[in-house]
Amino acid sequence: MNYQPYLLETENLTKEFGDLTAVNDLTLKIREGEIFGFLGPNGAGKTTAIRMMVGLLKPTSGQVKLTANGNRNTRPDFGICPQDLVLWEQLTCRENLYFIGKMYDVPGDTLESRLDDILEKLNLSEKKDTTAAELSGGMKRKLNMGMSLMHKPEIVVLDEPSAGLDPQSRFSLWEYIVGLRKEENTTIILTTHLMEEADRLSDRVGIMDRGKMLVVDNPGELKKSVGEGDSVTIELDDSQRNEEALEELKALEGTEEVREVKEKLIVRALDAVGKVPDYMEHLEKKGFDISDISISRTNTLEDVFIHLTGRELE
C-alpha cells in the first residue's frame, strides 16, 4: 500500500484501575487509510486502549494525538462499533439507521441513499422493516456496525466485529470492511482475538498481552519472524514427563525450537513433517507414550503469539 500520513498517535498511553495496569505505556502511530488490528486474548487491554484513543476513557498518563491532514483542517470524526450491542430494540433496522443519521446531522439529501447503501452492503435490506429485537445476534451486530458508519467517519473503530457471526456472515463482513478502506479511504481500527480476522484484514497487526504491546508489523513479516520450518505438536500420555521429552527433542539434529504450551510439546524444524517418524521413534525408545500428534505446515499469527509469550492465543 502507499504510505499515508499518520492520522492518530499515542504516546506512552497508560491506564490503571487500582493495582491493575490494563494498558502499559502504549506508543503507536496509525496511518490514514490503514486497517490496523489489535490482536490478543481477552483481557489483553485491547478494548481499554481503543476506548482511550477515541476519548471514551481518560488515560492515567500519556496522550492521544489526532492529526489534521491534506484539505482537512479539523480533527477526524470517529465511528464506534462497540463489542456490547447498542440498539433501539423497538425500532426497525431502517429506523435505527435513520435516527442515528439524524443525530449526526447527516443532510437529508444524502441520508436516504447512505441508509439504503449500508442496508444493501450488510445484507440487511430484506430486514429493513424488522425491529432490532427480532433480529438474530449476527444481524444485530451488523446493524450496530452500520449505525457507526452513517455519518461517514474518517476513523472507524470495530471492537470484536465478528463476535456472534456464522462463518458466511463473517466473510461477507470482512469483504465490507476491506471495501470501506478501498472505496472511501476509511481508517479502520479493529480489535480481535481471531487470528484469521487479523491476518486477512490488517495492513499491520499489533499483538497485545497483559497490557503491553509486544510487537507491531504487517502479518507477513510477523509470521516470518517466528523462523522457517513446519511445526509438530506432540501430546504425551503423561504430561508430567514433558520436560524430559522436551530435552530429548532439543537434542535431535535439525530441531530449531521446542516449546511446551498447555501441556503439549511444539517442535519447529525444517521439514518437520518428514521428521515425524524420527520424533516418534526416538520418544518411544526413551519410554514416552504419545497420545496425539498434529502437523502445521505454515506459520500463523498464533505461532507468533506463542513465540512471544509461550502461551496459546485464546
Side-chain angles (χ1 to χ4, degrees), residues 298-312:
T298 58
N299 291 337
T300 68
L301 290 178
E302 181 161 24
D303 292 321
V304 180
F305 187 81
I306 291 171
H307 182 76
L308 292 170
T309 69
R311 308 192 324 276
E312 286 183 310

Side-chain angles (χ1 to χ4, degrees), residues 46-291:
K46 308 184 301 295
T47 297
T48 301
I50 64 170
R51 283 172 62 83
M52 289 190 289
M53 291 163 70
V54 302
L56 292 176
L57 189 63
K58 184 178 180 180
T60 302
S61 61
Q63 60 180 326
V64 178
K65 296 180 180 179
L66 296 171
T67 307
N69 291 315
N71 296 322
R72 185 183 63 245
N73 55 17
T74 58
R75 285 163 43 120
D77 289 330
F78 281 98
I80 304 169
C81 182
Q83 187 172 353
D84 295 324
L85 297 174
V86 180
L87 301 167
W88 290 283
E89 294 277 334
Q90 300 311 310
L91 298 184
T92 65
C93 292
R94 189 182 183 285
E95 288 168 341
N96 268 280
L97 293 171
Y98 185 88
F99 187 48
I100 200 74
K102 283 292 189 180
M103 288 179 66
Y104 277 107
D105 294 323
V106 178
D109 55 347
T110 62
L111 178 58
E112 292 290 344
S113 61
R114 180 69 174 169
L115 187 158
D116 289 336
D117 182 62
I118 287 174
L119 286 171
E120 179 181 353
K121 288 183 176 177
L122 289 176
N123 296 316
L124 290 173
S125 293
E126 292 184 1
K127 298 290 184 178
K128 66 180 181 179
D129 295 320
T130 302
T131 63
E134 298 176 89
L135 299 176
S136 67
M139 288 182 176
K140 286 182 179 181
R141 182 154 296 280
K142 289 196 287 185
L143 176 59
N144 215 187
M145 180 174 172
M147 291 167 66
S148 72
L149 300 170
M150 277 299 296
H151 59 301
K152 273 200 171 183
E154 292 167 272
I155 302 176
V156 176
V157 177
L158 307 175
D159 195 0
E160 299 285 354
S162 294
L165 296 183
D166 61 75
Q168 183 176 353
S169 297
R170 186 181 303 140
F171 292 140
S172 67
L173 183 68
W174 289 353
E175 289 180 359
Y176 182 61
I177 291 171
V178 172
L180 271 177
R181 193 274 301 277
K182 185 176 181 180
E183 297 170 15
E184 302 181 18
N185 198 40
T186 305
T187 302
I188 299 169
I189 303 170
L190 65 91
T191 75
T192 183
H193 64 278
L194 300 176
M195 296 175 297
E196 186 179 10
E197 183 164 73
D199 199 349
R200 284 199 178 205
L201 297 183
S202 306
D203 298 305
R204 288 188 301 150
V205 173
I207 296 181
M208 288 193 73
D209 187 44
R210 297 173 179 171
K212 291 287 291 184
M213 181 67 78
L214 303 180
V215 66
V216 176
D217 210 332
N218 70 67
E221 290 301 315
L222 287 175
K223 288 183 285 187
K224 285 181 184 178
S225 71
V226 176
E228 297 182 348
D230 311 317
S231 64
V232 177
T233 301
I234 301 171
E235 187 173 0
L236 302 180
D237 279 343
D238 183 4
S239 62
Q240 298 297 317
R241 301 189 66 194
N242 278 358
E243 190 65 32
E244 297 175 60
L246 186 146
E247 294 303 322
E248 291 289 343
L249 292 167
K250 278 183 178 178
L252 291 178
E253 183 178 354
T255 299
E256 298 285 332
E257 180 184 37
V258 185
R259 287 177 176 267
E260 182 182 8
V261 178
K262 279 196 169 181
E263 300 187 343
K264 298 177 183 178
L265 300 172
I266 299 178
V267 187
R268 181 173 299 282
L270 293 175
D271 189 28
V273 175
K275 292 182 171 66
V276 167
D278 295 333
Y279 295 150
M280 294 180 68
E281 181 181 0
H282 183 79
L283 290 175
E284 287 171 356
K285 279 184 178 180
K286 294 294 182 177
F288 297 97
D289 294 320
I290 298 172
S291 63

